[in-house]
């Protein structure tokens, strides 16, 4: 028996908006857990637009993601910094801030850390 699954981020099971209309997280549910598509608008910064939702000083979610478009900068609590762009795979441990770089929205697909991300 086949176990084919088809999901589409254009009709997610859940959408979580960020503060001040700076983006959103669209979630699709799979047997192994949720997968997210985050859209970060220009000017979005985790410490300004998600920290009030999370209630922590830095993002405590781990991320395993793929950058579809745009650019995202990440700085770890210890100061290590990396920028991600189209085609990049990212592995980001807990304890970081992040922000959109440039004038284009950043779209990321994330397989880890989205279950509670920006959840109210």
């Amino acid at each position: 028996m086949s176990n084919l699954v088809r999901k589409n981020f254009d009709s997610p099971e859940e959408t979580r908006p960020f503060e001040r209309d700076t983006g959103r997280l669209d979630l699709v549910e799979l047997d192994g857990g949720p997968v997210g598509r985050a859209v970060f608008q220009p000017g979005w910064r985790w410490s300004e637009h998600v920290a009030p939702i999370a209630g922590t000083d830095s993002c405590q979610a781990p991320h395993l993601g793929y950058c579809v478009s745009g650019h995202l900068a990440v700085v770890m609590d210890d100061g290590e910094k990396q920028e991600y762009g189209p085609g990049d795979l990212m592995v980001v441990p807990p304890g970081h801030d992040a922000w959109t770089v440039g004038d284009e929205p950043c779209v990321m697909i994330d397989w880890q850390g989205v279950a509670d991300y920006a959840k109210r």
Side-chain angles (χ1 to χ4, degrees), residues 39 44 70 74 79 103:
V39 178
W44 175 87
V74 176
D103 297 329

Side-chain angles (χ1 to χ4, degrees), residues 2-110:
S2 294
N3 292 316
L4 296 173
V5 174
R6 181 176 181 265
K7 300 283 183 155
N8 191 308
F9 284 114
D10 291 333
S11 54
E13 279 91 3
E14 183 180 359
T15 295
R16 298 177 188 160
F18 304 142
E19 295 286 309
R20 299 191 297 268
D21 293 326
T22 55
R24 68 184 187 282
L25 176 66
D26 297 320
L27 292 170
V28 295
E29 294 290 336
L30 300 176
D31 287 344
V35 178
R37 174 182 66 182
V39 178
F40 306 110
Q41 295 296 331
W44 175 87
R45 188 176 185 112
W46 187 93
S47 54
E48 294 175 27
H49 304 108
V50 181
I53 300 167
T56 57
D57 291 336
S58 62
C59 181
Q60 296 303 306
H63 301 286
L64 172 59
Y66 175 78
C67 185
V68 176
S69 62
H71 290 85
L72 187 74
V74 176
V75 64
M76 299 301 299
D77 290 347
D78 68 5
E80 182 181 0
K81 185 176 176 184
Q82 183 63 257
E83 186 173 317
Y84 301 94
D88 287 342
L89 177 72
M90 71 172 196
V91 177
V92 178
H96 59 272
D97 193 8
W99 59 92
T100 304
V101 176
D103 297 329
E104 176 185 359
C106 179
V107 178
M108 301 287 282
I109 305 298
D110 196 343

